[in-house]
Amino acid sequence: MHKIIVPLFLFALFAVNTQAQNSITISGKVVDQDSGQPLEYATFVLQSSNDPAQVTGGITDLDGKFEVEASPGQYNIRVEYISYKTYARTNQTYSASTNLGSIILAPDVAQLQEVEVVGEKTTVEVRLDKKVYNIGKDITTSGGNVSDALGNIPSVSVDVEGAISLRGNENVRILINGKPSALAGFGSTDALRQLPADAIEKVEVITSPSARYDAEGTAGILNIILKKEKTLGINGSVNTTVGIPFNARATTNFNLRTEKFNIFNTLGYFHRESPGEGRNDNTYLSDTSQFDRIIEERDISRNDDGFNINLGMEYFLTDKSSITGSVFFRWSDENDLTENDNQRFIDNDLDSRTFRTEDQGEDDRSSQYSLNYTNNINDSGHKLTADFQYSTDDEDLLTVIKENNTFPNDNLLALENIYEKQTQDDILAQIDYVLPMGDAQFEAGYRGNFEKEVNDYQLDTLNQGTGNFETNTDLTNIFTYHENVNALYTQYGNKYGKFSVLLGLRLENTQMKGSVDSDIDGAVLDELIGQDVDLNFDKNYLGLFPTINLVFEISETQNISLGYNRRINRPRGWFINPFPSRSSRTNVFQGNPDLDPAFANAFDLGYMKRWRTLTFTSSIYYQKETRSFEFITEETGQVTSDGIQIIRSLPINLSTNERVGAEAGVMYSPAKWWRLNGSVNFFLFSTDGEFNNVDYGASNSSFFTRLSSKFTLPAKMELQANSFYMGPRQNAQTETDAMFSLDMALSKDLFQDKATLSLNVSDMFNSRRRQSYTQTASFIRDSEFQWRKRQVNLSFIYRFNQPKDRRQGNRPDGDERGGEEQGEFKGGGNS
């Protein structure tokens, strides 16, 4: 790889040096007329007077400074900044490098009366490889969590269990500030429910990721950028929430910034009680089951407490470089009680009834240590960044399962104690280099991710004959899983008039290594797993992942984009672990150690158009995935001690999965006091493949749509309603019904806008339920599940030295030092 990159790099340096000998530099500083403060991310445009098609320019840095290289000649210059009057000069002759000094911009009072502050309004920016949603004041998620907020982002849906999908596809990669993070959890989205929604500054929906991003996630990437205050001095906020069913949350944010350093700190505590429920109605069609029908009705009670702290410091070594260190800790004590009432029928007559309780206690401790170095070598974007991150997660679980007959007798059927210790260690090492070359930009970098998961599982069962607990050696095991990924990438971007291009190539090597430490007999293990696989495996995959992103700017208010990328979906540890769960004696989940990664090729064609009060975005997409994961349900051939057929669900590699779809979104302000935000996503998908001589091929269509309406009322009050509808869908075995939900909220600003009081109702009609119907040759299942019932929250937030209406201007980036935004090549537009 170095034999290619080094010559390209040296050639680029030579080309830039040659060009510099025949060029001049136009520099200056842009400041506010009233305050004299520098305006960051103002746009400086340099247009040739003789050839208007020849345009160059740049944006100001954090100090309001700009520096643009050009050839000697005559130019028209223009400086633009949202809500300010445009500064323009024509026919300016520059024969040598010139410093224009301070350019003073005056606020555009007329425009300010029409344009709302960006910090209050959700806006969208279209880049070459992503859409960026700057999160406005969404009062329906006040007191909620990050998972709640993601449910209001176009293209994104969150199901009743918290699973996040992008365009209906759950194979999505979640990043925090551009990197994998303990804040987002380890292989699940549970941790996102512990982060407050108001911590988000923006969400990047990356459906066509460039080469700088991991190739993981065939659906794409959701990059959550957290807020980071840049105001000098001391500032912060306190946010408290109380709700029914009872939950309480308190979060404090504190920031101290000087010219030399920036200290930031977040403290949070939560107590949450989340009742849920479920129902399974199983009808058995084969003779292997003693019963014709079994109805399971579950009541779920969750009682969780947690505390988290994030403390960091950014130290500015020079005007161009800084080093940032941060530590994050999270402790949680969770208790989930599931009560399962089973009714068992023979010939439509109730034969027996059982009652099962599963009481699970979990002590979870997560930590993350991060170090970042950033060197902005010059003001034109020449940059070097390096990151190191170490994350750990330790979970200790004790689950007590008890099942009794309640009819026709009260005999004890089973009493089990399950001891689990799950640990995960992640190491991330990354370096990125950005080299501007005039209008073009070259990037290269390395990233290494090294993960280790250990699941220590012990099952003790009561021997009713002796009255003692005995360890079940057939299920007790220690499963260790390693996933190591080393990646090199390079990409090149350039802009040719109205046409922008970003080309990239990523080389990734993936090692998947698993081992089982168990005393289980080999024959028993084969029967348990139901297939002949090697539990001690070491697999290596080497792949190239090209990306192509193009944008054509039809005008300043509309553009067309086209993207192509190749992606990989690696199975997580719980996908691989073959030992079945014990959440039910008759319905179990089981991993598949024979899973291989899935690969996908994706194409995306987008169009965006802006008017004064309306922004329209749309796209058509196609994806073909090979060896895709599919969860199937089948008989195990085993029965319980009381003669019930055991059914399992497990993931398998199917041969192909094709998906084609279209989406459209509208942001519209019909009046100053009314804002609408709506989107719709329609997709067709088909799968092709078989497993255990069963054909799982299927094709279907589905859609989801959302509409948000926000009203500004007198007396500094606001009213908002968010609705979501998921259309029906199906795969080879299961049909899932449509689902509708509605969230409502009311807020009022207090104490000269330093505080806000909000009342919101999540899932007002208590309708966020998953209802599905599964049919196979041996059984039929009709099920319903609700993760969380209707929630009512009252929230109060108080801000000190942190105005609610901070003008964010037209800056395209936040100041995420060390994130994957560094050195981003920009194309397209924003609104």
Side-chain angles (χ1 to χ4, degrees), residues 478-741:
I478 300 176
F479 181 73
T480 304
Y481 178 65
H482 295 265
E483 181 182 283
N484 301 320
V485 181
N486 287 280
L488 292 170
Y489 81 88
T490 182
Q491 65 182 22
Y492 172 83
N494 206 342
K495 188 168 185 178
Y496 307 92
K498 295 185 176 182
F499 188 76
S500 301
V501 58
L502 184 61
L503 308 176
L505 185 64
R506 190 177 185 91
L507 174 69
E508 287 194 352
N509 176 257
T510 301
Q511 181 191 39
M512 295 167 49
K513 185 177 180 181
S515 62
V516 172
D517 182 5
S518 175
D519 294 330
I520 185 172
D521 179 79
V524 176
L525 182 61
D526 290 341
E527 181 181 359
L528 174 69
I529 298 174
Q531 50 184 314
D532 184 17
V533 295
D534 185 4
L535 298 185
N536 299 292
F537 57 87
D538 189 349
K539 303 177 182 179
N540 266 278
Y541 304 88
L542 182 67
L544 281 173
F545 300 90
T547 62
I548 303 173
N549 288 288
L550 312 171
V551 169
F552 178 72
E553 297 182 36
I554 302 173
S555 67
E556 291 184 357
T557 60
Q558 59 180 328
N559 63 53
I560 296 175
S561 60
L562 176 65
Y564 161 77
N565 65 92
R566 185 172 186 257
R567 310 288 295 165
I568 184 174
N569 185 24
R570 304 179 185 94
R572 307 308 301 168
W574 64 280
F575 277 37
I576 297 288
N577 193 336
F579 293 90
S581 69
R582 301 290 290 180
S583 58
S584 169
R585 291 194 304 138
T586 58
N587 296 280
V588 301
F589 174 84
Q590 191 172 343
N592 179 6
D594 203 33
L595 274 183
D596 292 319
F599 295 88
N601 291 281
F603 299 85
D604 189 289
L605 177 64
Y607 171 76
M608 187 195 77
K609 169 69 175 175
R610 299 194 316 270
W611 293 267
R612 189 175 66 88
T613 59
L614 186 147
T615 299
F616 172 76
T617 60
S618 63
S619 65
I620 299 172
Y621 55 90
Y622 169 79
Q623 181 187 84
K624 184 171 183 180
E625 185 175 350
T626 57
R627 299 194 62 77
S628 60
F629 303 158
E630 182 81 12
F631 287 90
I632 66 161
T633 306
E634 65 176 8
E635 286 185 292
T636 62
Q638 304 171 29
V639 294
T640 63
S641 58
D642 48 350
I644 304 175
Q645 181 185 144
I646 298 176
I647 298 169
R648 70 171 178 178
S649 298
L650 79 161
I652 63 170
N653 286 116
L654 281 180
S655 57
T656 60
N657 183 326
E658 289 187 274
R659 182 182 298 263
V660 60
E663 63 179 347
V666 173
M667 295 182 179
Y668 178 48
S669 298
K672 295 179 182 179
W673 49 268
W674 186 16
R675 294 199 297 274
L676 292 170
N677 185 341
S679 64
V680 61
N681 191 308
F682 176 82
F683 50 92
L684 304 167
F685 58 91
S686 62
T687 58
D688 177 25
E690 66 175 41
F691 181 74
N692 286 346
N693 299 319
V694 177
D695 185 3
Y696 290 98
S699 60
N700 190 236
S701 63
S702 187
F703 72 97
F704 62 89
T705 182
R706 57 169 47 87
L707 177 64
S708 174
S709 185
K710 188 174 182 180
F711 304 89
T712 301
L713 307 176
K716 295 186 177 180
M717 297 179 66
E718 291 185 326
L719 176 67
Q720 184 173 341
N722 289 349
S723 61
F724 175 79
Y725 179 83
M726 169 70 78
R729 59 198 186 278
Q730 70 179 50
N731 59 23
Q733 293 182 317
T734 302
E735 298 177 5
T736 303
D737 293 343
M739 181 179 66
F740 172 79
S741 65

